[in-house]
Amino acid sequence: MLRRGDHGPSVAGLRSALASLGLLPAQVPAPATNGHARQDEPVFDNETDAAVRAFQQQRGLNADGIVGPATTRALTDARWSLGDRTLTYTLSAMMSGDDVYALQVRLAEFGYNTGRPDGRFGPLTDACVRNFQRDRGLPEDGVFGAATFRELTRMRPMVTGGRPHYLREHHNLRQSGPRLRGKRIVIDPAHGGSDPGWVVDTDDGEVRAADLTYDIARRLEGRMVATGMDTFVTRGPGQNPTSEERAALANEVDADLLISLHIDGSTSAQASGLATFHFGSDSGATSTVGETLAELVQKELVARTQLTDCRVHHRTWELLRLTRMPAIQIELGYLSHPIERARLLRDDFRNTLADGILVAVKRLYLDGRDDPHTGTFTFSELLAHEESVRGA
């Protein structure tokens, strides 16, 4: 992990990567001294910090200026453009990069079902490449090399722009029907184990964001089970899976939705509010159902809690990008804000959060059919609605 003030060869590599992306000036070799090149030790200075934050913002990462695993992977992925290298599916070490992402988007424009673009050359991308090769009379080997690249670039896409997965996602949503029974939902309480999240000392002891998100997850799980939904929680109280492991669980159980619960914190006691995130990039690739669910959750929770509306945003965070189903991440207030902390510590407020999230999920599947006003649909009314749908 690198941050401002660090120095050494790793910083030199970081600066070189940022320079290749146009975020830092190109490095000029140091002048020779006694026949040898002088290498001044590179430093993670203010200029590097600003470039890292700009890159993180471009990629939808937390713009904290810290080069951790997620930022390092994103820098590695950003090196590649489509056609730079041969791409193929390898089970042991899956290839990833911006070139894979571009390939997935391009194939989707030709009508191939690549799923959500995630920049990973997995089995679905392999199948699409093979189908494309077969359709174009090329050897069907799944290897995206020079010949396949030439064929891809010379063709005119069937569809460009917009949201290639809108019709497929929306069709699946409509086909699933308005009932909650049988829907498979993954609930992801953030942090856990050695990662407590934001921590605040109070008169009653230490308050950890990880404990609160887990508590809200269990309340939400209980309500969902009562409606007949199948639920899966990504961690226990002492566990902290990686984002990739949490996404893998959701994919393995073939979930319909993933809902990730977070509680934020800030060095500023003024930071406050509620925000919801869904998968999406600045280039227009978006999980449409994820965006709809995020908007429903945001409206429902703001109406019920009166927390500051920090709105809905798209991000390419790993948990949102690597899940095959619509996924959202909810920031349920700031533990560092004294008023919000006091509310988050109350059982009735955490029940309100769980009720609001469940009702938003129900609204997603109602898709505008007999939909009560935001903030007015109670848990008991929701259960009664489920019974009436079952009896119809």
Side-chain angles (χ1 to χ4, degrees):
M1 187 172 292
L2 297 173
R3 66 185 72 208
R4 184 163 38 191
D6 289 343
H7 52 84
S10 296
V11 176
L14 169 64
R15 289 185 59 87
S16 177
L18 293 168
S20 70
L21 299 173
L23 295 171
L24 283 178
Q27 294 178 309
V28 179
T33 303
N34 296 329
H36 300 284
R38 190 185 78 235
Q39 297 294 331
D40 295 328
E41 190 171 53
V43 178
F44 197 129
D45 54 14
N46 290 339
E47 182 183 48
T48 307
D49 179 78
V52 168
R53 291 174 187 269
F55 174 76
Q56 290 171 325
Q57 190 169 29
Q58 289 175 6
R59 307 290 289 202
L61 301 169
N62 288 328
D64 55 9
I66 299 173
V67 183
T71 301
T72 299
R73 282 193 295 271
L75 282 166
T76 301
D77 288 348
R79 292 185 304 163
W80 304 106
S81 296
L82 190 60
D84 285 352
R85 56 177 176 164
T86 297
L87 300 172
T88 187
Y89 174 49
T90 53
L91 187 60
S92 58
M94 197 176 298
M95 300 183 75
S96 66
D98 284 11
D99 52 348
V100 180
Y101 185 94
L103 172 62
Q104 292 168 332
V105 171
R106 186 75 169 172
L107 287 170
E109 290 175 343
F110 288 118
Y112 295 94
N113 181 14
T114 58
R116 182 184 304 165
D118 60 6
R120 294 159 63 93
F121 200 110
L124 186 56
T125 303
D126 173 70
C128 289
V129 169
R130 292 176 185 272
N131 289 338
F132 175 79
Q133 290 171 328
R134 183 180 63 248
D135 293 342
R136 305 307 302 171
L138 299 170
E140 189 182 335
D141 55 10
V143 177
F144 186 79
T148 308
F149 175 66
R150 284 194 299 270
E151 188 67 18
L152 188 73
T153 54
R154 77 175 186 83
M155 293 179 59
R156 183 184 299 274
M158 296 170 60
V159 178
T160 57
R163 299 177 175 181
H165 306 292
Y166 171 76
L167 290 177
R168 187 176 295 114
E169 280 196 343
H170 196 260
H171 173 75
N172 291 340
L173 178 67
R174 294 289 293 184
Q175 286 292 105
S176 66
R179 289 189 62 196
L180 295 180
R181 179 172 296 276
K183 302 291 193 299
R184 300 168 70 83
I185 311 297
V186 169
I187 306 170
D188 173 50
H191 311 296
S194 60
D195 176 15
W198 198 264
V199 180
V200 176
D201 290 321
T202 70
D203 293 339
D204 296 323
E206 187 179 77
V207 178
R208 297 153 38 106
D211 298 333
L212 291 174
T213 58
Y214 186 72
D215 177 85
I216 297 168
R218 297 307 301 267
R219 294 169 192 261
L220 179 58
E221 180 187 29
R223 285 160 171 74
M224 287 185 166
V225 169
T227 68
M229 303 172 87
D230 296 325
T231 60
F232 307 84
V233 180
T234 58
R235 70 168 179 90
Q239 300 170 320
N240 181 29
T242 65
S243 294
E244 189 169 358
E245 289 169 338
R246 296 172 195 243
L249 169 65
N251 291 335
E252 287 168 8
V253 302
D254 194 24
D256 294 296
L257 300 172
L258 179 141
I259 300 171
S260 186
L261 308 175
H262 288 238
I263 293 174
D264 216 333
S266 172
T267 55
S268 169
Q270 302 304 313
S272 65
L274 186 147
T276 311
F277 301 85
H278 62 91
F279 171 78
S281 67
D282 292 339
S283 65
T286 299
S287 168
T288 306
V289 174
E291 182 179 16
T292 301
L293 177 59
E295 291 171 346
L296 290 169
V297 166
Q298 184 72 14
K299 290 178 182 177
E300 197 68 42
L301 292 183
V302 168
R304 289 168 184 262
T305 66
Q306 303 303 306
L307 290 178
T308 300
D309 185 359
C310 297
R311 302 185 299 279
V312 170
H313 308 272
H314 63 259
R315 290 291 185 270
T316 56
W317 295 331
E318 280 195 340
L319 186 63
L320 304 178
R321 178 171 57 87
L322 298 179
T323 46
R324 291 196 293 265
M325 72 294 306
I328 63 170
Q329 177 173 311
I330 315 169
E331 298 289 346
L332 297 164
Y334 280 75
L335 199 54
S336 52
H337 190 278
I339 296 176
E340 291 187 0
R341 177 170 65 250
R343 298 184 73 187
L344 285 163
L345 292 176
R346 287 171 23 204
D347 284 347
D348 63 329
F349 185 74
R350 297 199 298 276
N351 285 335
T352 296
L353 293 173
D355 286 345
I357 295 168
L358 176 62
V359 168
V361 171
K362 177 63 176 177
R363 291 185 188 281
L364 177 73
Y365 288 107
L366 283 173
D367 197 23
R369 295 165 287 196
D370 303 320
D371 196 355
H373 291 299
T374 300
T376 64
F377 205 8
T378 67
F379 180 50
S380 58
E381 289 171 340
L382 187 151
L383 291 177
H385 186 279
E386 287 293 300
E387 288 297 320
S388 67
V389 173
R390 183 170 65 176

